[in-house]
Amino acid sequence: MSKTLVPAGTLYRGREGQWSWVAHRITGVVIFFFLLVHVLDTSLVRVSPEAYDAVIASYKNPIMGLGELGLVAAIVFHAFNGLRVIAVDFWKQGPRYHRQMLWGVVGLWAVTMIAFSIRHLSHVFGG
Amino acid sequence: MAVPIIESPRSGRVAPEYSRTSSSRGNFEMIAWLFMRLSGAILVVLIFVHLWTSMVAGDGINGVDFGFVAGKWASPIWQIWDLTMLWLAMLHGTNGVRVIINDYAEKNSTRMGLKAVLYASTVVIVILGTLVIFTFDPCPVIDGVAHVAEYCPTS
């Protein structure tokens, strides 16, 4: 096995801490851009009922349905991991258990997404 | 063997050039940090209920149309709910993107340009959303033609 050269000092420490931070940033940006679009599409209720219904109808197809699933997945992760960040910052034992809490976040996220997927996909694909 | 004494980083006087709180910025960054945590905790509740009412309850996404919005905003509770969600989410998201721009845009002009676009978008979206919530008309008259739904009063 060849040894790889590791830089002497880096702020990036890898593992749960860094990767949850990366995921929090990516999901945050995704949610923010959706929010801009979401306010714009909702604003069509001030144009006419038909304009609003037409745009919402274009959301009601399988591809957008899967996109909504991805959006909710991003929101649920960002929400649960955000509560973990609050616990790390304000709970005395938070920094010590931040890894365990991340696996708790991932577990809760998986359970929530399984339940939501069953409900949402049955709406999207018939039923 | 003498143990070297290493002073705590925060002990003693901090030279002015190393001070983290410059006089011009005040404690804005600390307030922003605190706001992210407070608004985040509130947004978890606001958005989870929002997702439940629009995507899980009833017919889920299939039940969302103009009438659904009209039904919700007939109640001042949902108006305040959505208004709070709009403001908190936009400020939370804007601050998050501001931090990301500060982290990755190294050139001064790039950073300022990106933040100018960000703040302009935020102002437009927040004002637009607020106006839409408060000027919403469930039975609008468009070009002299009344939109009449079953919940509209018959004249």
Side-chain angles (χ1 to χ4, degrees), chain B:
Chain B
M1 200 161 110
V3 180
I5 296 163
I6 300 168
E7 278 193 25
S8 158
R10 286 182 191 166
S11 65
R13 195 186 69 92
V14 178
E17 63 267 37
Y18 295 118
S19 172
R20 289 189 178 199
T21 46
S22 67
S23 53
S24 61
R25 293 285 282 169
N27 53 0
F28 173 79
E29 292 296 344
M30 193 277 277
I31 298 293
W33 173 88
L34 191 61
F35 171 78
M36 290 309 264
R37 276 129 192 93
L38 289 174
S39 61
I42 299 167
L43 280 166
V44 172
V45 177
L46 292 176
I47 293 176
F48 275 28
V49 171
H50 177 72
L51 290 176
W52 182 273
T53 56
S54 55
M55 297 182 83
V56 177
D59 295 327
I61 194 71
N62 296 328
V64 176
D65 59 8
F66 184 85
F68 173 83
V69 179
K72 255 193 153 184
W73 286 348
S75 156
I77 293 170
W78 284 117
Q79 283 187 314
I80 298 297
W81 190 285
D82 287 357
L83 184 77
T84 312
M85 199 161 56
L86 170 74
W87 279 74
L88 287 183
M90 280 305 295
L91 292 178
H92 186 102
T94 300
N95 189 54
V97 175
R98 178 187 71 89
V99 169
I100 290 174
I101 292 172
N102 281 344
D103 274 0
Y104 299 119
E106 292 183 9
K107 262 177 69 185
N108 276 345
S109 55
T110 311
R111 209 162 52 237
M112 284 175 174
L114 286 173
K115 283 197 271 188
V117 173
L118 172 69
Y119 297 152
S121 320
T122 302
V123 169
V124 169
I125 293 291
V126 167
I127 292 177
L128 176 70
T130 304
L131 285 176
V132 166
I133 292 172
F134 286 120
T135 65
F136 176 72
D137 183 356
C139 306
V141 178
I142 300 157
D143 296 332
V145 183
H147 167 80
V148 185
E150 60 263 38
Y151 52 78
C152 294
T154 47
S155 54

Side-chain angles (χ1 to χ4, degrees), chain A residues 12 21 24-26 28-29 31-33 35-40 42-50 52-53 56-57 59-60 65 68-69 71-72 75-80 82-83 85-86 89-90 112 116 119-120 122-124 126-127, chain B residues 33-34 36-38 40-41 44 47-48 50-51 55-69 73 85-86 89-90 92-94 96-97 99-100 103-104 118 121-122 125-126 128-129 131-132 135-138 140 142 147:
Chain A
Y12 298 103
W21 173 84
H24 203 72
R25 289 209 150 178
I26 295 173
V29 171
I31 296 163
F32 183 70
F33 282 107
L35 177 58
L36 299 181
V37 177
H38 185 51
V39 174
L40 291 176
T42 304
S43 298
L44 289 173
V45 296
R46 284 295 284 124
V47 176
S48 76
E50 291 74 23
Y52 181 75
D53 287 348
I56 295 300
Y59 285 171
K60 292 170 185 169
E68 285 150 8
L69 199 63
L71 176 74
V72 171
I75 292 172
V76 172
F77 175 81
H78 198 87
F80 289 165
L83 295 176
V85 169
I86 292 173
D89 285 349
F90 291 106
T112 310
F116 178 75
R119 181 78 179 153
H120 184 61
S122 65
H123 284 139
V124 172
Chain B
W33 173 88
L34 191 61
M36 290 309 264
R37 276 129 192 93
L38 289 174
V44 172
I47 293 176
F48 275 28
H50 177 72
L51 290 176
M55 297 182 83
V56 177
D59 295 327
I61 194 71
N62 296 328
V64 176
D65 59 8
F66 184 85
F68 173 83
V69 179
W73 286 348
M85 199 161 56
L86 170 74
M90 280 305 295
H92 186 102
T94 300
V97 175
V99 169
I100 290 174
D103 274 0
Y104 299 119
L118 172 69
S121 320
T122 302
I125 293 291
V126 167
L128 176 70
L131 285 176
V132 166
T135 65
F136 176 72
D137 183 356
I142 300 157
H147 167 80

